[in-house]
Amino acid sequence: MTAAFETALADFASVLEAGLAARLDTAPQSGEIARPARLVEAMRHAVLAGGKRLRPFLLVEVARLLNPGLTVAALMPAASAIECLHCYSLVHDDLPAMDDDALRRGRPTVHVAYDEATAILAGDALLTLAFDLLADPACHADPAVRAALVLDLARAGGLGGMVGGQMLDLAAEGRFGDGAAPNEADIRILQAMKTGALIRAATVMGARLGGATAEEIGRFSRFGDILGLAFQLADDLLDVTATESEMGKAVAKDAAHGKGTLVARLGISAVRSELDRLVAEATDLLAPWGARSETLAAAAHFVAERRR
Ligand code: GRG
């Protein structure tokens, strides 16, 4: 992974953050009645506190690869939507009823900084805001494209995607006392749902916004699947190899929670080899765009080799 990629990601993160900050203020939008200040503050705490901004970055990079005429500003509503949905998932994942974490992105989690009820509502409001951003005509002039984006994000984020994956994850910890420990195939499915679905949504939504053909949508769906799997494998590796200060959140939690990860099942070196294969496959998928796709190829390396 190159320093140039890290710089591009950091530069994008500042632009996205400024856009998100502007959306999260106390002035009601048309159709709203009032915005409670405490809720806005908690949402800002959840969203504006750092974060790699990988999902919106992928969305923007895929869209601009397919249509270089698109500006980052034009893609900001959809990019912000996917980050809002991601941030909601982190707020709810950190709650006492879920992972019960006190640290996220190097800062107190929302329920610690505020309180549990506020954190639940901040997550709810971020989830709703994600769909508000996609449905707004500012997202795309064509209502059919907006509807397709809404569907992509709903299917990735909901029952058969991220939320469903979180449910399977809780069950796999033995929370509900119902059944055997998950096998490798079970773990792959739950991770594809919990983590992979949203990363795939980012690349597919980017492709849609870039005016992709059906073949290109399929290609970026597969690219997103590969990055999602690599992201989760890297996350599992970091859980056993990184420090709390590198990650800005608690580590070594998987074993403590009895989580069956692929690192625990297959071992560190097998997972590292799988990551190498995934990066190679992701890079092959970008072949039609040659050197113009080098940022996305670097993103695949970043996901697999990241230390945060
Ligand atoms: C509570 C509905 C609900 C879903 C939770 C996101 C999630 C599903 C759980 C988080 C637990 C976890 C560690 C998942 C592994 C992958 C992941 C989503 C890591 C955090 O994403 P990053 O690294 O975070 O992109 P930043 O802070 O950079 O945005």
Side-chain angles (χ1 to χ4, degrees), residues 50-55 83 86-90 92-94 98-99 104-105 157 162-163 166 169 194-195 231-232 235 249 259 306 308:
K52 294 181 287 297
R53 317 302 191 183
L54 179 70
R55 295 155 192 80
E83 185 65 14
H86 168 61
C87 292
Y88 125 75
S89 80
L90 299 180
H92 281 194
D93 185 64
D94 290 334
M98 299 271 186
D99 250 11
R104 168 73 64 187
R105 294 171 169 174
M162 186 185 71
V163 172
Q166 178 77 350
D169 202 34
K194 187 179 92 163
T195 312
F231 187 92
Q232 183 63 55
D235 209 70
K249 64 178 183 179
K259 255 182 207 169
R306 68 200 172 94
R308 63 189 171 101

PDB file of all heavy atoms in Angstrom, residues 50-55 83 86-90 92-94 98-99 104-105 157 162-163 166 169 194-195 231-232 235 249 259 306 308, ligand 1:
ATOM      1  N   GLY A  50     -13.399  11.064  13.340  1.00  0.00           N
ATOM      2  CA  GLY A  50     -12.399  10.248  12.657  1.00  0.00           C
ATOM      3  C   GLY A  50     -13.043   9.108  11.895  1.00  0.00           C
ATOM      4  O   GLY A  50     -14.176   9.211  11.438  1.00  0.00           O
ATOM      5  N   GLY A  51     -12.327   8.022  11.743  1.00  0.00           N
ATOM      6  CA  GLY A  51     -12.841   6.923  10.913  1.00  0.00           C
ATOM      7  C   GLY A  51     -12.138   6.977   9.575  1.00  0.00           C
ATOM      8  O   GLY A  51     -11.784   8.043   9.073  1.00  0.00           O
ATOM      9  N   LYS A  52     -11.938   5.820   8.988  1.00  0.00           N
ATOM     10  CA  LYS A  52     -11.177   5.756   7.734  1.00  0.00           C
ATOM     11  C   LYS A  52     -11.970   6.256   6.541  1.00  0.00           C
ATOM     12  O   LYS A  52     -11.421   6.633   5.532  1.00  0.00           O
ATOM     13  CB  LYS A  52     -10.732   4.294   7.489  1.00  0.00           C
ATOM     14  CG  LYS A  52      -9.727   3.796   8.511  1.00  0.00           C
ATOM     15  CD  LYS A  52      -9.286   2.371   8.257  1.00  0.00           C
ATOM     16  CE  LYS A  52     -10.337   1.327   8.580  1.00  0.00           C
ATOM     17  NZ  LYS A  52     -10.722   1.288   9.997  1.00  0.00           N
ATOM     18  N   ARG A  53     -13.305   6.177   6.606  1.00  0.00           N
ATOM     19  CA  ARG A  53     -14.198   6.595   5.500  1.00  0.00           C
ATOM     20  C   ARG A  53     -13.990   5.724   4.268  1.00  0.00           C
ATOM     21  O   ARG A  53     -14.097   6.194   3.124  1.00  0.00           O
ATOM     22  CB  ARG A  53     -14.002   8.075   5.119  1.00  0.00           C
ATOM     23  CG  ARG A  53     -13.871   9.035   6.287  1.00  0.00           C
ATOM     24  CD  ARG A  53     -15.040   9.012   7.223  1.00  0.00           C
ATOM     25  NE  ARG A  53     -15.015  10.102   8.186  1.00  0.00           N
ATOM     26  CZ  ARG A  53     -15.895  10.263   9.138  1.00  0.00           C
ATOM     27  NH1 ARG A  53     -16.860   9.376   9.317  1.00  0.00           N
ATOM     28  NH2 ARG A  53     -15.829  11.276   9.962  1.00  0.00           N
ATOM     29  N   LEU A  54     -13.706   4.457   4.524  1.00  0.00           N
ATOM     30  CA  LEU A  54     -13.384   3.563   3.414  1.00  0.00           C
ATOM     31  C   LEU A  54     -14.574   3.309   2.487  1.00  0.00           C
ATOM     32  O   LEU A  54     -14.429   3.305   1.253  1.00  0.00           O
ATOM     33  CB  LEU A  54     -12.872   2.227   3.988  1.00  0.00           C
ATOM     34  CG  LEU A  54     -12.524   1.209   2.937  1.00  0.00           C
ATOM     35  CD1 LEU A  54     -11.268   1.624   2.175  1.00  0.00           C
ATOM     36  CD2 LEU A  54     -12.321  -0.167   3.573  1.00  0.00           C
ATOM     37  N   ARG A  55     -15.766   3.104   3.069  1.00  0.00           N
ATOM     38  CA  ARG A  55     -16.924   2.757   2.226  1.00  0.00           C
ATOM     39  C   ARG A  55     -17.272   3.910   1.283  1.00  0.00           C
ATOM     40  O   ARG A  55     -17.406   3.697   0.070  1.00  0.00           O
ATOM     41  CB  ARG A  55     -18.096   2.319   3.113  1.00  0.00           C
ATOM     42  CG  ARG A  55     -17.779   1.029   3.858  1.00  0.00           C
ATOM     43  CD  ARG A  55     -18.572   0.867   5.162  1.00  0.00           C
ATOM     44  NE  ARG A  55     -18.061  -0.216   5.978  1.00  0.00           N
ATOM     45  CZ  ARG A  55     -16.971  -0.118   6.767  1.00  0.00           C
ATOM     46  NH1 ARG A  55     -16.287   1.038   6.833  1.00  0.00           N
ATOM     47  NH2 ARG A  55     -16.556  -1.153   7.476  1.00  0.00           N
ATOM     48  N   GLU A  83     -21.832   6.268   4.779  1.00  0.00           N
ATOM     49  CA  GLU A  83     -21.072   6.489   6.020  1.00  0.00           C
ATOM     50  C   GLU A  83     -22.028   6.648   7.213  1.00  0.00           C
ATOM     51  O   GLU A  83     -21.735   6.159   8.308  1.00  0.00           O
ATOM     52  CB  GLU A  83     -20.157   7.710   5.874  1.00  0.00           C
ATOM     53  CG  GLU A  83     -19.237   7.960   7.059  1.00  0.00           C
ATOM     54  CD  GLU A  83     -18.175   6.882   7.314  1.00  0.00           C
ATOM     55  OE1 GLU A  83     -17.938   6.029   6.426  1.00  0.00           O
ATOM     56  OE2 GLU A  83     -17.594   6.886   8.409  1.00  0.00           O
ATOM     57  N   HIS A  86     -23.114   3.223   8.196  1.00  0.00           N
ATOM     58  CA  HIS A  86     -21.989   2.551   8.865  1.00  0.00           C
ATOM     59  C   HIS A  86     -21.844   3.070  10.310  1.00  0.00           C
ATOM     60  O   HIS A  86     -21.705   2.284  11.256  1.00  0.00           O
ATOM     61  CB  HIS A  86     -20.716   2.798   8.049  1.00  0.00           C
ATOM     62  CG  HIS A  86     -19.448   2.432   8.736  1.00  0.00           C
ATOM     63  ND1 HIS A  86     -19.161   1.144   9.147  1.00  0.00           N
ATOM     64  CD2 HIS A  86     -18.365   3.184   9.104  1.00  0.00           C
ATOM     65  CE1 HIS A  86     -17.965   1.119   9.729  1.00  0.00           C
ATOM     66  NE2 HIS A  86     -17.473   2.343   9.717  1.00  0.00           N
ATOM     67  N   CYS A  87     -21.900   4.405  10.480  1.00  0.00           N
ATOM     68  CA  CYS A  87     -21.716   4.969  11.830  1.00  0.00           C
ATOM     69  C   CYS A  87     -22.848   4.536  12.761  1.00  0.00           C
ATOM     70  O   CYS A  87     -22.607   4.247  13.945  1.00  0.00           O
ATOM     71  CB  CYS A  87     -21.623   6.492  11.764  1.00  0.00           C
ATOM     72  SG  CYS A  87     -20.106   7.058  10.958  1.00  0.00           S
ATOM     73  N   TYR A  88     -24.063   4.478  12.228  1.00  0.00           N
ATOM     74  CA  TYR A  88     -25.172   3.955  13.066  1.00  0.00           C
ATOM     75  C   TYR A  88     -24.848   2.551  13.551  1.00  0.00           C
ATOM     76  O   TYR A  88     -25.048   2.210  14.713  1.00  0.00           O
ATOM     77  CB  TYR A  88     -26.501   3.990  12.284  1.00  0.00           C
ATOM     78  CG  TYR A  88     -27.228   2.657  12.191  1.00  0.00           C
ATOM     79  CD1 TYR A  88     -27.919   2.124  13.294  1.00  0.00           C
ATOM     80  CD2 TYR A  88     -27.213   1.915  11.012  1.00  0.00           C
ATOM     81  CE1 TYR A  88     -28.553   0.885  13.199  1.00  0.00           C
ATOM     82  CE2 TYR A  88     -27.836   0.695  10.916  1.00  0.00           C
ATOM     83  CZ  TYR A  88     -28.502   0.178  12.015  1.00  0.00           C
ATOM     84  OH  TYR A  88     -29.108  -1.049  11.940  1.00  0.00           O
ATOM     85  N   SER A  89     -24.305   1.716  12.637  1.00  0.00           N
ATOM     86  CA  SER A  89     -24.046   0.317  13.030  1.00  0.00           C
ATOM     87  C   SER A  89     -22.984   0.260  14.128  1.00  0.00           C
ATOM     88  O   SER A  89     -23.065  -0.574  15.029  1.00  0.00           O
ATOM     89  CB  SER A  89     -23.636  -0.525  11.818  1.00  0.00           C
ATOM     90  OG  SER A  89     -22.267  -0.339  11.487  1.00  0.00           O
ATOM     91  N   LEU A  90     -22.016   1.165  14.068  1.00  0.00           N
ATOM     92  CA  LEU A  90     -20.976   1.177  15.108  1.00  0.00           C
ATOM     93  C   LEU A  90     -21.566   1.619  16.447  1.00  0.00           C
ATOM     94  O   LEU A  90     -21.256   1.030  17.497  1.00  0.00           O
ATOM     95  CB  LEU A  90     -19.820   2.104  14.701  1.00  0.00           C
ATOM     96  CG  LEU A  90     -19.079   1.738  13.405  1.00  0.00           C
ATOM     97  CD1 LEU A  90     -17.965   2.738  13.127  1.00  0.00           C
ATOM     98  CD2 LEU A  90     -18.504   0.323  13.445  1.00  0.00           C
ATOM     99  N   HIS A  92     -24.649   1.331  17.522  1.00  0.00           N
ATOM    100  CA  HIS A  92     -25.476   0.259  18.092  1.00  0.00           C
ATOM    101  C   HIS A  92     -24.626  -0.951  18.474  1.00  0.00           C
ATOM    102  O   HIS A  92     -24.895  -1.604  19.481  1.00  0.00           O
ATOM    103  CB  HIS A  92     -26.594  -0.112  17.119  1.00  0.00           C
ATOM    104  CG  HIS A  92     -27.742   0.847  17.151  1.00  0.00           C
ATOM    105  ND1 HIS A  92     -28.976   0.590  16.593  1.00  0.00           N
ATOM    106  CD2 HIS A  92     -27.847   2.096  17.689  1.00  0.00           C
ATOM    107  CE1 HIS A  92     -29.786   1.630  16.788  1.00  0.00           C
ATOM    108  NE2 HIS A  92     -29.108   2.549  17.443  1.00  0.00           N
ATOM    109  N   ASP A  93     -23.583  -1.241  17.693  1.00  0.00           N
ATOM    110  CA  ASP A  93     -22.715  -2.381  18.022  1.00  0.00           C
ATOM    111  C   ASP A  93     -22.010  -2.170  19.360  1.00  0.00           C
ATOM    112  O   ASP A  93     -21.727  -3.123  20.081  1.00  0.00           O
ATOM    113  CB  ASP A  93     -21.684  -2.570  16.910  1.00  0.00           C
ATOM    114  CG  ASP A  93     -20.825  -3.808  17.137  1.00  0.00           C
ATOM    115  OD1 ASP A  93     -21.391  -4.913  17.120  1.00  0.00           O
ATOM    116  OD2 ASP A  93     -19.614  -3.673  17.346  1.00  0.00           O
ATOM    117  N   ASP A  94     -21.725  -0.920  19.704  1.00  0.00           N
ATOM    118  CA  ASP A  94     -20.994  -0.615  20.946  1.00  0.00           C
ATOM    119  C   ASP A  94     -21.885  -0.635  22.182  1.00  0.00           C
ATOM    120  O   ASP A  94     -21.375  -0.589  23.304  1.00  0.00           O
ATOM    121  CB  ASP A  94     -20.334   0.776  20.825  1.00  0.00           C
ATOM    122  CG  ASP A  94     -19.176   0.779  19.834  1.00  0.00           C
ATOM    123  OD1 ASP A  94     -18.572  -0.288  19.621  1.00  0.00           O
ATOM    124  OD2 ASP A  94     -18.882   1.853  19.273  1.00  0.00           O
ATOM    125  N   MET A  98     -25.068  -5.079  23.092  1.00  0.00           N
ATOM    126  CA  MET A  98     -24.359  -5.712  21.959  1.00  0.00           C
ATOM    127  C   MET A  98     -22.933  -6.029  22.419  1.00  0.00           C
ATOM    128  O   MET A  98     -22.731  -6.909  23.224  1.00  0.00           O
ATOM    129  CB  MET A  98     -24.375  -4.786  20.744  1.00  0.00           C
ATOM    130  CG  MET A  98     -25.772  -4.458  20.255  1.00  0.00           C
ATOM    131  SD  MET A  98     -26.373  -5.645  19.031  1.00  0.00           S
ATOM    132  CE  MET A  98     -27.894  -4.847  18.568  1.00  0.00           C
ATOM    133  N   ASP A  99     -21.945  -5.247  21.954  1.00  0.00           N
ATOM    134  CA  ASP A  99     -20.547  -5.556  22.290  1.00  0.00           C
ATOM    135  C   ASP A  99     -20.079  -4.895  23.578  1.00  0.00           C
ATOM    136  O   ASP A  99     -19.009  -5.223  24.085  1.00  0.00           O
ATOM    137  CB  ASP A  99     -19.638  -5.124  21.134  1.00  0.00           C
ATOM    138  CG  ASP A  99     -19.056  -6.319  20.410  1.00  0.00           C
ATOM    139  OD1 ASP A  99     -19.534  -7.429  20.674  1.00  0.00           O
ATOM    140  OD2 ASP A  99     -18.136  -6.137  19.594  1.00  0.00           O
ATOM    141  N   ARG A 104     -14.163   3.904  20.877  1.00  0.00           N
ATOM    142  CA  ARG A 104     -14.360   3.767  19.418  1.00  0.00           C
ATOM    143  C   ARG A 104     -13.636   4.929  18.760  1.00  0.00           C
ATOM    144  O   ARG A 104     -13.822   6.069  19.155  1.00  0.00           O
ATOM    145  CB  ARG A 104     -15.872   3.796  19.118  1.00  0.00           C
ATOM    146  CG  ARG A 104     -16.259   3.939  17.679  1.00  0.00           C
ATOM    147  CD  ARG A 104     -16.029   2.717  16.841  1.00  0.00           C
ATOM    148  NE  ARG A 104     -16.812   1.556  17.215  1.00  0.00           N
ATOM    149  CZ  ARG A 104     -16.648   0.341  16.667  1.00  0.00           C
ATOM    150  NH1 ARG A 104     -15.743   0.157  15.712  1.00  0.00           N
ATOM    151  NH2 ARG A 104     -17.368  -0.679  17.083  1.00  0.00           N
ATOM    152  N   ARG A 105     -12.840   4.641  17.751  1.00  0.00           N
ATOM    153  CA  ARG A 105     -12.070   5.680  17.056  1.00  0.00           C
ATOM    154  C   ARG A 105     -11.279   6.520  18.062  1.00  0.00           C
ATOM    155  O   ARG A 105     -11.172   7.748  17.939  1.00  0.00           O
ATOM    156  CB  ARG A 105     -12.994   6.555  16.203  1.00  0.00           C
ATOM    157  CG  ARG A 105     -13.644   5.790  15.040  1.00  0.00           C
ATOM    158  CD  ARG A 105     -14.716   6.582  14.331  1.00  0.00           C
ATOM    159  NE  ARG A 105     -15.153   5.976  13.082  1.00  0.00           N
ATOM    160  CZ  ARG A 105     -16.153   6.419  12.347  1.00  0.00           C
ATOM    161  NH1 ARG A 105     -16.859   7.454  12.730  1.00  0.00           N
ATOM    162  NH2 ARG A 105     -16.488   5.820  11.228  1.00  0.00           N
ATOM    163  N   GLY A 157     -28.001  -3.397   4.284  1.00  0.00           N
ATOM    164  CA  GLY A 157     -27.940  -3.007   5.698  1.00  0.00           C
ATOM    165  C   GLY A 157     -28.907  -3.746   6.596  1.00  0.00           C
ATOM    166  O   GLY A 157     -28.763  -3.687   7.829  1.00  0.00           O
ATOM    167  N   MET A 162     -26.421  -6.700   6.891  1.00  0.00           N
ATOM    168  CA  MET A 162     -25.656  -6.368   8.094  1.00  0.00           C
ATOM    169  C   MET A 162     -26.395  -6.682   9.404  1.00  0.00           C
ATOM    170  O   MET A 162     -25.817  -7.293  10.311  1.00  0.00           O
ATOM    171  CB  MET A 162     -25.283  -4.887   8.049  1.00  0.00           C
ATOM    172  CG  MET A 162     -24.369  -4.465   9.174  1.00  0.00           C
ATOM    173  SD  MET A 162     -24.083  -2.696   9.131  1.00  0.00           S
ATOM    174  CE  MET A 162     -25.690  -2.100   9.636  1.00  0.00           C
ATOM    175  N   VAL A 163     -27.669  -6.271   9.497  1.00  0.00           N
ATOM    176  CA  VAL A 163     -28.391  -6.540  10.750  1.00  0.00           C
ATOM    177  C   VAL A 163     -28.541  -8.049  10.956  1.00  0.00           C
ATOM    178  O   VAL A 163     -28.330  -8.572  12.067  1.00  0.00           O
ATOM    179  CB  VAL A 163     -29.770  -5.835  10.756  1.00  0.00           C
ATOM    180  CG1 VAL A 163     -30.584  -6.265  11.955  1.00  0.00           C
ATOM    181  CG2 VAL A 163     -29.590  -4.321  10.774  1.00  0.00           C
ATOM    182  N   GLN A 166     -25.308  -9.409  12.153  1.00  0.00           N
ATOM    183  CA  GLN A 166     -25.072  -9.122  13.582  1.00  0.00           C
ATOM    184  C   GLN A 166     -25.835 -10.125  14.443  1.00  0.00           C
ATOM    185  O   GLN A 166     -25.337 -10.599  15.464  1.00  0.00           O
ATOM    186  CB  GLN A 166     -25.520  -7.680  13.873  1.00  0.00           C
ATOM    187  CG  GLN A 166     -25.385  -7.256  15.318  1.00  0.00           C
ATOM    188  CD  GLN A 166     -23.951  -6.924  15.718  1.00  0.00           C
ATOM    189  OE1 GLN A 166     -23.020  -7.174  14.975  1.00  0.00           O
ATOM    190  NE2 GLN A 166     -23.784  -6.393  16.904  1.00  0.00           N
ATOM    191  N   ASP A 169     -24.028 -13.272  14.447  1.00  0.00           N
ATOM    192  CA  ASP A 169     -22.806 -13.117  15.247  1.00  0.00           C
ATOM    193  C   ASP A 169     -23.119 -13.287  16.736  1.00  0.00           C
ATOM    194  O   ASP A 169     -22.384 -13.962  17.470  1.00  0.00           O
ATOM    195  CB  ASP A 169     -22.232 -11.720  14.972  1.00  0.00           C
ATOM    196  CG  ASP A 169     -20.754 -11.621  15.298  1.00  0.00           C
ATOM    197  OD1 ASP A 169     -20.043 -12.621  15.118  1.00  0.00           O
ATOM    198  OD2 ASP A 169     -20.304 -10.562  15.743  1.00  0.00           O
ATOM    199  N   LYS A 194     -22.477  -9.421   7.900  1.00  0.00           N
ATOM    200  CA  LYS A 194     -22.219  -8.368   8.893  1.00  0.00           C
ATOM    201  C   LYS A 194     -21.295  -7.281   8.336  1.00  0.00           C
ATOM    202  O   LYS A 194     -21.518  -6.094   8.573  1.00  0.00           O
ATOM    203  CB  LYS A 194     -21.599  -8.987  10.147  1.00  0.00           C
ATOM    204  CG  LYS A 194     -21.445  -8.000  11.282  1.00  0.00           C
ATOM    205  CD  LYS A 194     -20.858  -8.621  12.525  1.00  0.00           C
ATOM    206  CE  LYS A 194     -19.359  -8.476  12.525  1.00  0.00           C
ATOM    207  NZ  LYS A 194     -18.739  -8.680  13.840  1.00  0.00           N
ATOM    208  N   THR A 195     -20.264  -7.678   7.630  1.00  0.00           N
ATOM    209  CA  THR A 195     -19.250  -6.716   7.188  1.00  0.00           C
ATOM    210  C   THR A 195     -19.239  -6.550   5.671  1.00  0.00           C
ATOM    211  O   THR A 195     -19.108  -5.448   5.157  1.00  0.00           O
ATOM    212  CB  THR A 195     -17.837  -7.198   7.610  1.00  0.00           C
ATOM    213  OG1 THR A 195     -17.888  -7.567   8.971  1.00  0.00           O
ATOM    214  CG2 THR A 195     -16.801  -6.132   7.390  1.00  0.00           C
ATOM    215  N   PHE A 231     -11.526  -7.365   4.183  1.00  0.00           N
ATOM    216  CA  PHE A 231     -11.647  -6.420   5.298  1.00  0.00           C
ATOM    217  C   PHE A 231     -11.874  -7.170   6.606  1.00  0.00           C
ATOM    218  O   PHE A 231     -11.256  -6.881   7.633  1.00  0.00           O
ATOM    219  CB  PHE A 231     -12.815  -5.463   5.026  1.00  0.00           C
ATOM    220  CG  PHE A 231     -12.924  -4.347   6.014  1.00  0.00           C
ATOM    221  CD1 PHE A 231     -12.310  -3.131   5.786  1.00  0.00           C
ATOM    222  CD2 PHE A 231     -13.634  -4.513   7.199  1.00  0.00           C
ATOM    223  CE1 PHE A 231     -12.394  -2.105   6.711  1.00  0.00           C
ATOM    224  CE2 PHE A 231     -13.725  -3.493   8.125  1.00  0.00           C
ATOM    225  CZ  PHE A 231     -13.110  -2.282   7.877  1.00  0.00           C
ATOM    226  N   GLN A 232     -12.773  -8.156   6.556  1.00  0.00           N
ATOM    227  CA  GLN A 232     -13.090  -8.892   7.790  1.00  0.00           C
ATOM    228  C   GLN A 232     -11.921  -9.774   8.219  1.00  0.00           C
ATOM    229  O   GLN A 232     -11.610  -9.865   9.410  1.00  0.00           O
ATOM    230  CB  GLN A 232     -14.360  -9.730   7.588  1.00  0.00           C
ATOM    231  CG  GLN A 232     -14.792 -10.466   8.841  1.00  0.00           C
ATOM    232  CD  GLN A 232     -15.168  -9.531   9.990  1.00  0.00           C
ATOM    233  OE1 GLN A 232     -16.016  -8.664   9.820  1.00  0.00           O
ATOM    234  NE2 GLN A 232     -14.535  -9.689  11.146  1.00  0.00           N
ATOM    235  N   ASP A 235      -9.560  -7.601   9.827  1.00  0.00           N
ATOM    236  CA  ASP A 235     -10.073  -7.203  11.144  1.00  0.00           C
ATOM    237  C   ASP A 235      -9.800  -8.301  12.177  1.00  0.00           C
ATOM    238  O   ASP A 235      -9.385  -8.022  13.304  1.00  0.00           O
ATOM    239  CB  ASP A 235     -11.580  -6.942  11.034  1.00  0.00           C
ATOM    240  CG  ASP A 235     -12.051  -5.909  12.036  1.00  0.00           C
ATOM    241  OD1 ASP A 235     -11.693  -4.724  11.849  1.00  0.00           O
ATOM    242  OD2 ASP A 235     -12.739  -6.284  12.998  1.00  0.00           O
ATOM    243  N   LYS A 249      -9.787   1.206  19.537  1.00  0.00           N
ATOM    244  CA  LYS A 249     -10.905   0.454  20.121  1.00  0.00           C
ATOM    245  C   LYS A 249     -10.299  -0.768  20.800  1.00  0.00           C
ATOM    246  O   LYS A 249      -9.114  -1.085  20.600  1.00  0.00           O
ATOM    247  CB  LYS A 249     -11.915   0.042  19.042  1.00  0.00           C
ATOM    248  CG  LYS A 249     -11.368  -0.917  18.001  1.00  0.00           C
ATOM    249  CD  LYS A 249     -12.442  -1.343  16.980  1.00  0.00           C
ATOM    250  CE  LYS A 249     -11.872  -2.369  16.001  1.00  0.00           C
ATOM    251  NZ  LYS A 249     -12.835  -2.846  15.013  1.00  0.00           N
ATOM    252  N   LYS A 259     -15.798 -15.908  20.072  1.00  0.00           N
ATOM    253  CA  LYS A 259     -16.155 -15.769  18.661  1.00  0.00           C
ATOM    254  C   LYS A 259     -15.306 -16.696  17.820  1.00  0.00           C
ATOM    255  O   LYS A 259     -14.080 -16.681  17.927  1.00  0.00           O
ATOM    256  CB  LYS A 259     -15.914 -14.336  18.201  1.00  0.00           C
ATOM    257  CG  LYS A 259     -17.192 -13.586  18.056  1.00  0.00           C
ATOM    258  CD  LYS A 259     -16.999 -12.177  17.568  1.00  0.00           C
ATOM    259  CE  LYS A 259     -18.165 -11.350  18.099  1.00  0.00           C
ATOM    260  NZ  LYS A 259     -18.003  -9.939  17.945  1.00  0.00           N
ATOM    261  N   ARG A 306      -3.997  -3.388   6.211  1.00  0.00           N
ATOM    262  CA  ARG A 306      -4.149  -2.247   7.118  1.00  0.00           C
ATOM    263  C   ARG A 306      -3.706  -2.584   8.531  1.00  0.00           C
ATOM    264  O   ARG A 306      -3.776  -3.739   8.957  1.00  0.00           O
ATOM    265  CB  ARG A 306      -5.604  -1.744   7.103  1.00  0.00           C
ATOM    266  CG  ARG A 306      -6.604  -2.706   7.698  1.00  0.00           C
ATOM    267  CD  ARG A 306      -8.015  -2.392   7.220  1.00  0.00           C
ATOM    268  NE  ARG A 306      -8.933  -3.437   7.638  1.00  0.00           N
ATOM    269  CZ  ARG A 306      -9.665  -3.387   8.750  1.00  0.00           C
ATOM    270  NH1 ARG A 306      -9.586  -2.354   9.542  1.00  0.00           N
ATOM    271  NH2 ARG A 306     -10.477  -4.377   9.063  1.00  0.00           N
ATOM    272  N   ARG A 308      -5.068  -0.449  11.003  1.00  0.00           N
ATOM    273  CA  ARG A 308      -6.029   0.294  11.810  1.00  0.00           C
ATOM    274  C   ARG A 308      -7.429   0.065  11.271  1.00  0.00           C
ATOM    275  O   ARG A 308      -7.595  -0.403  10.153  1.00  0.00           O
ATOM    276  CB  ARG A 308      -5.706   1.796  11.825  1.00  0.00           C
ATOM    277  CG  ARG A 308      -5.797   2.460  10.453  1.00  0.00           C
ATOM    278  CD  ARG A 308      -5.267   3.866  10.470  1.00  0.00           C
ATOM    279  NE  ARG A 308      -5.167   4.396   9.111  1.00  0.00           N
ATOM    280  CZ  ARG A 308      -6.050   5.227   8.564  1.00  0.00           C
ATOM    281  NH1 ARG A 308      -7.101   5.630   9.222  1.00  0.00           N
ATOM    282  NH2 ARG A 308      -5.887   5.662   7.323  1.00  0.00           N
TER     283      ARG A 308
HETATM  284  C1  GRG B   1     -25.460  -3.257  15.406  1.00  0.00           C
HETATM  285  C2  GRG B   1     -26.947  -3.405  13.368  1.00  0.00           C
HETATM  286  C3  GRG B   1     -25.641  -3.565  13.969  1.00  0.00           C
HETATM  287  C4  GRG B   1     -24.635  -3.987  13.198  1.00  0.00           C
HETATM  288  C5  GRG B   1     -23.267  -4.060  13.660  1.00  0.00           C
HETATM  289  C6  GRG B   1     -20.582  -2.904  12.035  1.00  0.00           C
HETATM  290  C7  GRG B   1     -21.031  -4.032  12.843  1.00  0.00           C
HETATM  291  C8  GRG B   1     -22.382  -4.582  12.576  1.00  0.00           C
HETATM  292  C9  GRG B   1     -20.287  -4.477  13.829  1.00  0.00           C
HETATM  293  C10 GRG B   1     -18.983  -3.868  14.184  1.00  0.00           C
HETATM  294  C11 GRG B   1     -18.135  -4.940  14.751  1.00  0.00           C
HETATM  295  C12 GRG B   1     -16.972  -5.186  13.914  1.00  0.00           C
HETATM  296  C13 GRG B   1     -15.638  -4.980  14.564  1.00  0.00           C
HETATM  297  C14 GRG B   1     -17.081  -5.559  12.673  1.00  0.00           C
HETATM  298  C15 GRG B   1     -15.906  -5.793  11.842  1.00  0.00           C
HETATM  299  C16 GRG B   1     -15.765  -4.896  10.709  1.00  0.00           C
HETATM  300  C17 GRG B   1     -16.069  -3.478  10.999  1.00  0.00           C
HETATM  301  C18 GRG B   1     -17.384  -3.021  10.568  1.00  0.00           C
HETATM  302  C19 GRG B   1     -15.140  -2.675  11.542  1.00  0.00           C
HETATM  303  C20 GRG B   1     -15.313  -1.231  11.732  1.00  0.00           C
HETATM  304  O1  GRG B   1     -15.256  -0.578  10.485  1.00  0.00           O
HETATM  305  P1  GRG B   1     -14.055   0.373  10.072  1.00  0.00           P
HETATM  306  O2  GRG B   1     -12.738  -0.256  10.434  1.00  0.00           O
HETATM  307  O3  GRG B   1     -14.296   1.580  11.066  1.00  0.00           O
HETATM  308  O4  GRG B   1     -14.228   0.822   8.669  1.00  0.00           O
HETATM  309  P2  GRG B   1     -13.952   3.132  10.908  1.00  0.00           P
HETATM  310  O5  GRG B   1     -13.884   3.612  12.324  1.00  0.00           O
HETATM  311  O6  GRG B   1     -12.670   3.293  10.176  1.00  0.00           O
HETATM  312  O7  GRG B   1     -15.125   3.691  10.175  1.00  0.00           O
END
